[in-house]
Amino acid sequence: MVEDKTLGIDVGASGIKGAIVNVITGELVTERFRVPTPFPAKPKAVAKAISGIVNHFEWKGLVGVGFPAVIQNGTAKTASNIDKKWIGTNVEKLLSETTGCPVYVRNDADVAGIAELRFGAGESKKGTVILITIGSGLGSAVFTNGVLLPNSELGHLKFKGMIAEHYAADSIRKRLELSWNDWGKRFNEYLQHLEFLFSPDLILLGGGSSKKFDKYKDLLQVDCPVMPAKLLNHAGIIGAACLAASNKKE
């Protein structure tokens, strides 16, 4: 049985956000609550911050968490945009023990993609759909006829003699002080590379730069449609809640 309300939490580089979500409709039933991501973002500090969000909502039920790492069977296998201490940590176990709630964890881009395909711009889309989240890195979620390929990490593809997110992430635009035109050309090259590898039917763009889509959309020269994600900053929260609700052990 799927619970209709679940707490969703999205762990980002600068902030950790949470809200209670109606997983049947995809709507937030509370205001979003945000706390700063601890620095350094080590396991105990982040777990304490997440526990603070759970306590804020006086929540006792299921919790879903979108986390910036490859997650296999609840354990973090990478830590490209979070403290290296997380590698090998059973994130689900740590957060369940710290919050006192049953917690389910998955890669942050994957849960954002889950939300977009259920309630957002990818709703009812068939074929291969790729979501790219543009922020401090390039996250990805890949779906074929609505079925997720977990932990795709397409921001870590080798590209231009480096990994792709070191060439085309929003953090690179800011660090190099690139114009939207110059960054858009870089990002277009990256999308063309994805199209060559995967022949997607649709590419969705999430993360902070998706809100600036009009500034670079005319530079994107790929054959498939490219659209900004619909749920924006709420996607990770909604998808994490849906993940927990659908994975509840009976």
Side-chain angles (χ1 to χ4, degrees):
M1 186 175 108
V2 175
E3 302 281 349
D4 62 344
K5 293 183 178 64
T6 302
L7 178 59
I9 295 176
D10 183 25
V11 178
S14 60
I16 304 173
K17 292 83 64 179
I20 298 172
V21 178
N22 183 321
V23 297
I24 306 301
T25 64
E27 296 173 323
L28 271 59
V29 298
T30 64
E31 292 293 322
R32 195 176 65 150
F33 180 69
R34 181 186 186 278
V35 298
T37 301
F39 183 82
K42 294 184 178 180
K44 287 185 179 179
V46 172
K48 183 178 178 181
I50 289 173
S51 184
I53 293 176
V54 173
N55 292 336
H56 169 81
F57 289 106
E58 299 181 343
W59 187 253
K60 304 297 183 184
L62 290 173
V63 180
V65 176
F67 196 81
V70 168
I71 301 292
Q72 289 184 324
N73 300 315
T75 297
K77 299 294 186 179
T78 64
S80 58
N81 291 304
I82 200 164
D83 196 272
K84 303 299 183 189
K85 292 283 188 181
W86 282 101
I87 296 175
T89 297
N90 188 318
V91 188
E92 288 187 342
K93 181 181 179 183
L94 173 63
L95 297 184
S96 294
E97 290 175 348
T98 305
T99 64
C101 296
V103 178
Y104 295 89
V105 181
R106 186 166 285 176
N107 173 266
D108 53 353
D110 283 350
V111 298
I114 289 169
E116 282 296 330
L117 262 71
R118 290 193 186 183
F119 306 111
E123 186 176 4
S124 302
K125 298 295 184 183
K126 300 296 184 183
T128 299
V129 178
I130 297 177
L131 169 74
I132 299 296
T133 59
I134 313 164
S136 55
L138 292 172
S140 63
V142 179
F143 298 83
T144 300
N145 293 327
V147 178
L148 173 69
L149 172 67
N151 298 311
S152 53
E153 293 290 310
L154 300 184
H156 292 172
L157 289 173
K158 298 294 185 183
F159 188 65
K160 300 283 186 179
M162 60 188 82
I163 64 171
E165 65 181 28
H166 290 170
Y167 182 75
D170 190 51
S171 58
I172 300 303
R173 177 186 66 82
K174 293 175 180 176
R175 182 165 64 82
L176 300 182
E177 299 182 345
L178 299 173
S179 67
W180 282 106
N181 186 71
D182 288 341
W183 177 82
K185 291 177 181 177
R186 285 182 174 225
F187 190 65
N188 177 60
E189 291 179 279
Y190 170 63
L191 293 189
Q192 288 179 332
H193 188 53
L194 291 185
E195 186 170 52
F196 170 74
L197 292 173
F198 297 99
S199 301
D201 297 285
L202 173 66
I203 296 175
L204 299 175
L205 304 180
S209 292
S210 66
K211 292 180 283 189
K212 303 291 186 180
F213 185 64
D214 287 345
K215 292 184 179 292
Y216 57 88
K217 67 179 182 180
D218 292 337
L219 298 167
L220 305 183
Q221 300 175 350
V222 294
D223 290 334
C224 73
V226 180
M227 301 168 52
K230 179 179 175 183
L231 302 175
L232 300 175
N233 289 338
H234 292 166
I237 293 172
I238 295 168
C242 291
L243 162 75
S246 63
N247 281 275
K248 180 184 178 183
K249 293 180 176 66
E250 298 294 342

